[in-house]
Amino acid sequence: MPIPRSLNRSNVRSSGPHNADTCPLTLKWSFMMMLDLGGHQNLIQRHGFNDDELAIELGLQALIDEEDFHPRQALLRLKGERKLFDETFTTCDYPDMLEENLEALGELLGLDAAELRILGFCVLMQTDPTLNNAADELGMLGFNRMLAVLSTLLDIQQLQLTRYLSNDGQLVRAGLLEVNTLSCSVTNLSSRLSVGNSDLPGLMRFNQDEPIELFKYAFRLSPPGTLGLDKYEHLRQHVDIAQAYLAKALVEGRSGVNILLYGPPGTGKTQLSRLLAKTLNTDLYEIACTDSDGDPVSASQRLCALRSAMSVLHSHKSLLVLDEIEDIFDSPTLMGMGARSKAQKGWINRMLEENALPCFWLSNSVESLDAAHIRRFDLVINLPNPPRAQREQIIRDCSADKLGNELVEKLIDHEHATPAVITRAVRIARSLNPRAGKKLDATVECLVDSTLKAQGFDKLEGAQGQRLPSFYSPELINTDVPLDGLVEGLRKHAEARLCFYGPPGTGKTAFGCWLAQELDRPLMVQRVSDLVSPYVGQTEQNLAEAFAQATQDGAVLLLDEVDSFLQDRRKAKQSWEVTAVNEMLTQMESYRGLFIASTNLIRDLDEASLRRFDMKIYFGYLDQPQVQQLFSTHLQALKLKDPTKTASLRLRSEQQLTPGDFASVARQARFKPFDNANELASALIAETRLKTAGKQRPIGFVH
């Protein structure tokens, strides 16, 4: 309606709607807020209006620019405009498609007329700027004041309103409304009472569609999964239990069915939920993490969306999945201080116990989840990175076996290269380089390395397992017990705990690698830097996870510098040092594979740990035949000659040479080649002199 030019006639209504989004119903409520509920006290100020746009919609535009502004005259004019408005609009209906959508939603969810009025008011308050502005003029409201306002506007008794807006009310249980019921909180009306999903008001007012489509930004049908049961062979028992339990729950219509899936990103949690839905021939709906604009939604909004899905889909025999739940269970808006925190915790527990549809809850870590929440999940399934054999199969499947063996080995050796990371990299690389070859491998490696770096992990190159030189032989190590028959014995008895001790460089780790190769089992090497953490309890957790991963992969577990974990508890200065030893001993006792511990400092080990090793093998310095054999082998590799045996004779008096010394000088030769055999011998002698110098050098000011 156009604004009349002549405003001095008392029978001409100059109030709106002027704004395209304003409707007569919102104007009716706005007049009531201003005159029946006292909002004019904030709107009409001493020298003008607090909100000019609202004043225009209420027919007060002629007074906006008046120099001689009189609040009393403005109030009288407001009352006159309200009277003329009421005479013009004897009935006020919902605008656009809101009436039809409210009726459809009421049918779907079983809402009565009063509940629909409350919902309709909230929708208009979020879509009509005039009504929103008018609500702001009421100022800050406590809960009881909010009830009084709504009772006046909607003609609903306050006692009924209290019931409708409680957590047990259908509007809240269905996730349609968010209500701040705390009496101690004072805020404006739109913060006290709002629609749970930010996209819902616009859809209800302007879109005509099936009722379920009103929630398309709250939850959506999940796409079918791409993985089969064979990819979860390492979780076969858990998957079978989940499948059988969900099948029975769907048939019986059980409430409070919740399954927690947790593990690092990319290990297949979402795919497992889709697979289970597929095997049960049941729809799976995903609770949205973003709104229609792609922006992330808050934890409270996600819970509203979950409740909406529970209410809308309760008759569909569907499954729900909620991803990245950490923000819900550890949200500052949900878990505040004091009584509110306890109330929210209790509310979440109740939701877990009473939810209408079976729900998958997905998390990258369960550390933020309260134990009271965890115990309410029917099934808790940990999804680690799949075992080595399955990782290899996944890699070969997704690449159509077009990656080189060397790259495949790098990928399966890296414990943090998850299937999702690898699959995505392979898909991108194959779109650029469809054919197998070095270019395809290089692209995949580059993409995986970039992701691993961003996640805070080592690159693939740094994660490679131990590589033995082509000329390696166990005959080139000097031990105090014969090693003949050890491999055959370990083949017959796969469970063993071995301790390798001796000076650095004597071949302890290399022999562990050789054993793993001979047994045709992967080698998992863990060092102090991999496991020790400054956080209380984290070192013990890392130890447990290392043993668990080795069990899963069927690997030979080699723990280097084990004295850091098995130091004599009598020398401990901190309590955590004792707990780390205890955890290590516990894991050693329960481990059912081949465990190898290596140390240079066996005298520092706890006595209890020494008793737990089946064999303790000393690795000493090379004897002379071994020295001569290794020297000859390196001369050949470096294409050097020693026809007079002068160089080899120089090494006869050296008693502290190790395989590590030979490896060190071989690395030197890569960037500073030796000209002759004597230079090679001199380099080896220099390595031994460093050891003796370290022993003889005085410490501090002692001479």
Side-chain angles (χ1 to χ4, degrees):
M1 178 179 296
I3 302 174
R5 294 180 180 275
S6 177
L7 300 173
N8 56 358
R9 293 165 53 190
S10 60
N11 63 341
V12 177
R13 183 181 64 83
S14 56
S15 58
H18 304 131
N19 190 307
D21 291 321
T22 298
C23 65
L25 183 56
T26 61
L27 278 176
K28 175 185 176 181
W29 283 333
S30 297
F31 276 118
M32 293 176 71
M33 288 180 185
M34 296 303 102
L35 295 171
D36 301 341
L37 296 169
H40 69 276
Q41 298 175 29
N42 286 326
L43 176 65
I44 303 174
Q45 300 292 307
R46 185 175 179 182
H47 299 293
F49 298 109
N50 189 47
D51 187 330
D52 288 347
E53 290 184 4
L54 177 60
I56 291 173
E57 288 298 327
L58 297 177
L60 306 177
Q61 61 268 38
L63 305 179
I64 291 176
D65 297 322
E66 282 194 357
E67 294 182 4
D68 189 18
F69 184 84
H70 296 286
R72 183 172 178 78
Q73 181 184 355
L75 178 58
L76 291 173
R77 180 61 179 268
L78 178 62
K79 291 179 178 179
E81 287 295 327
R82 194 260 187 91
K83 181 180 179 182
L84 291 172
F85 176 86
D86 290 342
E87 292 173 354
T88 305
F89 296 96
T90 55
T91 59
C92 297
D93 299 322
Y94 289 109
D96 309 304
M97 304 305 303
L98 184 54
E99 180 78 37
E100 293 181 22
N101 284 329
L102 283 171
E103 290 179 3
L105 204 57
E107 249 182 77
L108 179 67
L109 302 178
L111 303 174
D112 64 25
E115 289 171 315
L116 292 177
R117 284 205 300 278
I118 298 170
L119 180 59
F121 173 81
C122 292
V123 168
L124 287 178
M125 188 164 56
Q126 288 192 222
T127 58
D128 192 321
T130 298
L131 185 60
N132 189 277
N133 293 342
D136 286 344
E137 296 303 319
L138 295 177
M140 301 293 103
L141 308 177
F143 183 70
N144 288 329
R145 171 63 174 159
M146 179 196 72
L147 293 178
V149 167
L150 293 177
S151 179
T152 299
L153 295 174
L154 306 178
D155 193 24
I156 304 172
Q157 293 183 358
Q158 291 191 38
L159 188 61
Q160 286 181 292
L161 281 169
T162 303
R163 186 171 68 252
Y164 287 137
L165 300 180
S166 69
N167 287 337
D168 290 325
Q170 181 65 355
L171 290 170
V172 177
R173 288 179 65 87
L176 296 172
L177 294 186
E178 284 190 283
V179 184
N180 180 359
T181 59
L182 294 179
S183 299
C184 59
S185 175
V186 180
T187 183
N188 60 15
L189 182 58
S190 59
S191 297
R192 275 271 175 204
L193 187 65
S194 60
V195 179
N197 185 281
S198 59
D199 293 302
L200 184 59
L203 292 172
M204 288 192 65
R205 180 167 176 180
F206 302 112
N207 285 33
Q208 184 178 17
D209 218 326
E210 294 296 322
I212 195 171
E213 289 298 312
L214 296 172
F215 299 93
K216 60 184 177 182
Y217 296 116
F219 55 88
R220 61 196 64 135
L221 191 63
S222 176
T226 58
L227 300 182
L229 286 171
D230 60 310
K231 298 300 186 292
Y232 295 94
E233 194 61 40
H234 59 300
L235 300 170
R236 171 62 69 172
Q237 185 178 12
H238 287 91
V239 172
D240 289 345
I241 293 172
Q243 188 175 352
Y245 181 65
L246 287 171
K248 195 165 186 174
L250 288 169
V251 170
E252 297 177 356
R254 292 183 185 176
S255 60
V257 175
N258 300 280
I259 297 178
L260 175 63
L261 306 178
Y262 74 97
T267 52
K269 299 183 293 292
T270 301
Q271 287 292 332
L272 178 57
S273 65
R274 293 173 181 175
L275 174 63
L276 286 169
K278 181 180 179 181
T279 59
L280 296 168
N281 196 27
T282 303
D283 289 334
L284 176 71
Y285 286 87
E286 298 178 354
I287 306 301
C289 299
T290 58
D291 59 19
S292 57
D293 296 323
D295 298 322
V297 297
S298 67
S300 60
Q301 288 176 315
R302 293 182 70 200
L303 284 176
C304 282
L306 176 62
R307 296 198 297 272
S308 297
M310 295 285 184
S311 298
V312 174
L313 302 170
H314 70 279
S315 61
H316 287 62
K317 300 292 185 182
S318 303
L319 301 174
L320 302 177
V321 58
L322 190 65
D323 201 358
E324 298 180 2
I325 62 172
E326 294 86 351
D327 65 327
I328 292 176
F329 289 92
D330 195 31
S331 170
T333 59
L334 291 176
M335 298 298 186
M337 301 297 290
R340 186 173 185 183
S341 175
K342 292 181 181 179
Q344 292 290 359
K345 183 177 178 181
W347 186 84
I348 291 177
N349 288 340
R350 181 179 173 184
M351 182 184 64
L352 289 171
E353 293 171 352
E354 299 179 358
N355 60 345
L357 294 173
C359 185
F360 296 102
W361 302 73
L362 277 51
S363 174
N364 297 326
S365 172
V366 293
E367 293 180 359
S368 61
L369 272 62
D370 191 281
H373 295 146
I374 293 177
R375 73 176 180 83
R376 284 172 167 80
F377 290 101
D378 301 289
L379 293 174
V380 179
I381 304 176
N382 179 25
L383 276 79
N385 202 7
R388 180 185 174 92
Q390 284 184 247
R391 294 203 301 274
E392 180 176 359
Q393 189 59 50
I394 291 171
I395 294 167
R396 296 195 182 280
D397 287 347
C398 73
S399 67
D401 209 12
K402 291 187 175 183
L403 298 181
N405 289 330
E406 184 178 349
L407 176 58
V408 172
E409 286 294 320
K410 288 183 183 180
L411 291 169
I412 62 178
D413 279 344
H414 201 299
E415 61 177 326
H416 299 295
T418 59
V421 171
I422 296 170
T423 302
R424 186 176 295 107
V426 169
R427 185 180 69 249
I428 296 170
R430 290 191 65 190
S431 70
L432 302 173
N433 310 288
R435 296 183 179 179
K438 293 183 178 180
K439 197 169 183 179
L440 176 63
D441 288 4
T443 304
V444 170
E445 185 167 357
C446 176
L447 294 173
V448 172
D449 278 343
S450 297
T451 302
L452 292 173
K453 182 180 178 181
Q455 293 177 318
F457 304 127
D458 292 334
K459 297 194 301 181
L460 292 175
E461 196 66 35
Q464 288 186 79
Q466 297 289 322
R467 298 286 185 259
L468 294 174
S470 58
F471 53 80
Y472 179 84
S473 171
E475 296 178 0
L476 298 175
I477 56 175
N478 189 16
T479 59
D480 62 341
V481 297
L483 300 178
D484 299 339
L486 180 60
V487 172
E488 290 304 315
L490 291 172
R491 286 198 177 101
K492 296 177 182 178
H493 306 283
E495 181 182 339
R497 295 182 288 269
L498 309 179
C499 179
F500 297 168
Y501 69 100
T506 50
K508 300 181 291 293
T509 301
F511 184 68
C513 182
W514 180 83
L515 272 179
Q517 290 184 7
E518 290 298 305
L519 295 170
D520 195 24
R521 293 165 65 182
L523 177 69
M524 180 177 171
V525 179
Q526 294 287 331
R527 296 179 175 82
V528 176
S529 57
D530 301 321
L531 302 174
V532 170
S533 171
Y535 302 105
V536 176
Q538 189 61 50
T539 298
E540 294 91 289
Q541 184 175 334
N542 292 342
L543 281 168
E545 289 176 354
F547 277 91
Q549 185 67 50
T551 300
Q552 181 177 273
D553 289 349
V556 175
L557 176 59
L558 194 155
L559 191 58
D560 204 6
E561 302 173 3
V562 75
D563 45 278
S564 301
F565 301 104
L566 291 177
Q567 60 181 318
D568 194 332
R569 284 170 288 186
R570 294 172 298 181
K571 300 178 181 179
K573 297 180 180 179
Q574 303 292 335
S575 60
W576 62 265
E577 294 176 314
V578 176
T579 58
V581 175
N582 292 339
E583 178 64 30
M584 184 68 192
L585 294 176
T586 301
Q587 293 297 332
M588 287 174 60
E589 284 284 352
S590 59
Y591 188 57
R592 296 296 176 259
L594 175 56
F595 171 62
I596 301 173
S598 71
T599 178
N600 306 325
L601 306 168
I602 195 170
R603 295 184 182 277
D604 292 344
L605 298 190
D606 192 271
E607 290 183 3
S609 70
L610 291 173
R611 294 195 301 270
R612 285 170 168 81
F613 288 108
D614 303 311
M615 290 184 67
K616 294 173 279 289
I617 303 174
Y618 174 74
F619 285 67
Y621 297 112
L622 296 171
D623 59 27
Q624 268 303 305
Q626 292 171 328
V627 170
Q628 296 300 322
Q629 184 179 344
L630 266 177
F631 187 68
S632 177
T633 301
H634 279 74
L635 286 176
Q636 293 178 18
L638 299 173
K639 298 180 179 180
L640 301 175
K641 294 182 180 181
D642 186 24
T644 61
K645 305 294 181 182
T646 305
S648 62
L649 288 172
R650 293 177 60 193
L651 300 177
R652 287 195 172 181
S653 60
E654 301 300 325
Q655 305 297 318
Q656 294 184 338
L657 279 170
T658 68
D661 296 330
F662 281 90
S664 178
V665 296
R667 290 192 298 271
Q668 293 178 31
R670 291 183 300 177
F671 55 86
K672 190 178 181 297
F674 299 111
D675 293 327
N676 52 63
N678 273 310
E679 286 190 7
L680 176 61
S682 296
L684 290 167
I685 293 169
E687 292 291 327
T688 62
R689 296 296 181 268
L690 288 173
K691 302 170 190 177
T692 50
K695 293 179 181 179
Q696 296 173 356
R697 186 170 54 196
I699 301 174
F701 297 100
V702 180
H703 297 281

